[in-house]
Amino acid sequence: MTTATVRVPDELHARVPAEQRGPGLDRDGVRLLVSRGTQVSHHAFAALPRLLTAGDLLVVNTSPTLAAAVDGRIGHARVVVHFSTRGDDGRWAVELRDPDGRGTTRARAGGPAGTEVRLARGVRLVLEEPLSERGERLWWARVSSSAVAGLLRERGRPIRYAYTERDQPLSVYQTVFALPSEDGAGSAEMPSAGRPFTARLVAELVSRGVQFAPVSLHTGVASAEAHEPPYPERFAVPEASARLINAARAGEGRVLAVGTTAVRAVESATGSDGVVRARDGWTDLVVTPERGARAVDGLLTGLHEPEASHLLMLEAVAGRAAIDHAYEAAVAGRYLWHEFGDVHLILPETGLTERIAPATECEDSARAV
């Protein structure tokens, strides 16, 4: 069985957060599948501090989650606008969706250019052009007011997908690592690999000598239907974090990214020499098995749909055989999928002395800009 043939039964879709599944549960009340090569083991997430060692470094995404879904109208028709990414020119990349009558949405054809959407507070949004030649799901739109952050705070709600049971407050979608940004930027969808962490668990990790390197990557709206690769996203790797990552790689520690967004940020700041440098801007980098991972030794991540493009990144870190075996074990073990589900820790199979040499710049399948 391979990830391409894995079928995730409907009952394995996590419909509510862990802390709502029973009395006395907290965010860390999820399961943890650990894989080292094709060897897997099963743990509670609260066991994470005992699975890591002093000198290990966790790279975490501090991007806050936005209340990015807003109701609107095109003529008399109701639509839902998903605010994805704010461009440097003040425009927003948005996705229009149709309400499905169950509190969630379904796909809607994009465009055409010039389409006007009426939002709350008298705000008007006008579609101008598709974000990419790959399709017309996301459009650049001009918004009549610069106060989009206020609109999202007052009238927005977290983006919700059909497999979830009910609406949740924004606090449910914030990780313990989230920091507000000065310009109100954030992620349209939660950097969900960090969700199971609690303040208590972070304190225990620190007490055991595990370090944290904060980065940011503001993730846009994913495709629930097409599983397309990510569009360009804003990221930042601070100087202090770059130094921590390079020091861990030069020593005995392992660099473990918390989430695919953290991988994308770090790898976008890593040169062909394997050195991470402070960097910020936009990245369209897609980490593939052909490119490989240059700075990250392992990854803590959620369980992704078999068609998801994120699986290419997992294969770049661990190899196809390891990921296939882990996903077969996850289905057999009744692990839960998606942002409220269980998590997967991918650790290096061999010692750090056997790190693969980085690829050359010309081998990149995408670039950081």
Side-chain angles (χ1 to χ4, degrees), residues 299-344:
L299 171 63
L300 179 72
T301 182
L303 293 165
H304 304 282
E305 290 284 2
E307 304 88 353
S309 61
H310 296 301
L311 290 177
L312 291 176
M313 180 185 291
L314 272 59
E315 291 175 17
V317 174
R320 177 68 178 269
I323 301 306
D324 286 347
H325 194 80
Y327 271 60
E328 184 177 356
V331 172
R334 311 295 290 175
Y335 279 71
L336 296 180
W337 255 251
H338 304 304
E339 66 267 32
F340 298 143
D342 299 315
V343 283
H344 179 199

Side-chain angles (χ1 to χ4, degrees), residues 15-70:
R15 304 193 185 282
V16 296
E19 63 271 24
Q20 297 178 15
R21 295 178 199 146
L25 293 178
D26 204 343
R27 286 175 172 232
D28 59 4
V30 297
R31 300 169 66 196
L32 177 64
L33 177 71
V34 178
S35 59
R36 296 176 178 87
T38 56
Q39 301 299 310
V40 300
S41 56
H42 306 274
H43 308 266
F45 184 76
L48 180 65
R50 298 189 294 278
L51 296 168
L52 304 182
T53 59
D56 284 344
L57 179 69
L58 293 177
V59 182
V60 297
N61 187 0
T62 62
S63 177
T65 307
L66 302 175
V70 179

Side-chain angles (χ1 to χ4, degrees), residues 7-238:
R7 188 185 72 82
V8 183
D10 287 344
E11 63 269 21
L12 297 188
H13 293 197
R15 304 193 185 282
V16 296
E19 63 271 24
Q20 297 178 15
R21 295 178 199 146
L25 293 178
D26 204 343
R27 286 175 172 232
D28 59 4
V30 297
R31 300 169 66 196
L32 177 64
L33 177 71
V34 178
S35 59
R36 296 176 178 87
T38 56
Q39 301 299 310
V40 300
S41 56
H42 306 274
H43 308 266
F45 184 76
L48 180 65
R50 298 189 294 278
L51 296 168
L52 304 182
T53 59
D56 284 344
L57 179 69
L58 293 177
V59 182
V60 297
N61 187 0
T62 62
S63 177
T65 307
L66 302 175
V70 179
D71 292 325
R73 287 187 178 274
I74 299 176
H76 296 292
R78 293 178 57 227
V79 296
V80 177
V81 180
H82 287 175
F83 283 82
S84 181
T85 305
R86 184 183 184 276
D88 292 336
D89 60 0
R91 295 188 299 174
W92 278 82
V94 301
E95 179 186 29
L96 301 189
R97 308 273 296 184
D98 286 325
D100 62 5
R102 299 187 299 272
T104 52
T105 61
R106 56 178 175 264
R108 174 189 176 95
T115 297
E116 181 181 271
V117 184
R118 303 191 313 278
L119 305 174
R121 302 175 62 186
V123 176
R124 296 287 192 275
L125 180 150
V126 179
L127 302 185
E128 292 192 346
E129 59 182 331
L131 186 64
S132 167
E133 295 179 356
R134 297 203 306 246
E136 295 188 349
R137 182 175 67 87
L138 290 175
W139 282 70
W140 284 116
R142 188 73 62 182
V143 186
S144 64
S145 168
S146 61
V148 172
L151 174 68
L152 299 187
R153 282 194 303 270
E154 293 180 16
R155 300 299 180 94
R157 59 187 179 275
I159 291 174
R160 177 188 159 202
Y161 289 116
Y163 50 76
T164 58
E165 186 174 289
R166 56 181 176 268
D167 285 345
Q168 299 285 350
L170 183 60
S171 59
V172 166
Y173 290 87
Q174 300 293 6
T175 74
V176 72
F177 306 112
L179 296 173
S181 55
E182 293 182 0
D183 61 357
S187 290
E189 297 183 355
M190 172 177 54
S192 57
R195 191 184 188 279
F197 286 85
T198 62
R200 180 200 58 78
L201 189 65
V202 170
E204 183 178 353
L205 287 162
V206 171
S207 72
R208 289 174 176 264
V210 176
Q211 295 183 292
F212 289 82
V215 300
S216 67
L217 185 137
H218 301 313
T219 184
V221 177
S223 168
E225 292 83 23
H227 301 290
E228 60 202 8
Y231 287 87
E233 294 166 326
R234 290 172 59 187
F235 80 102
V237 176

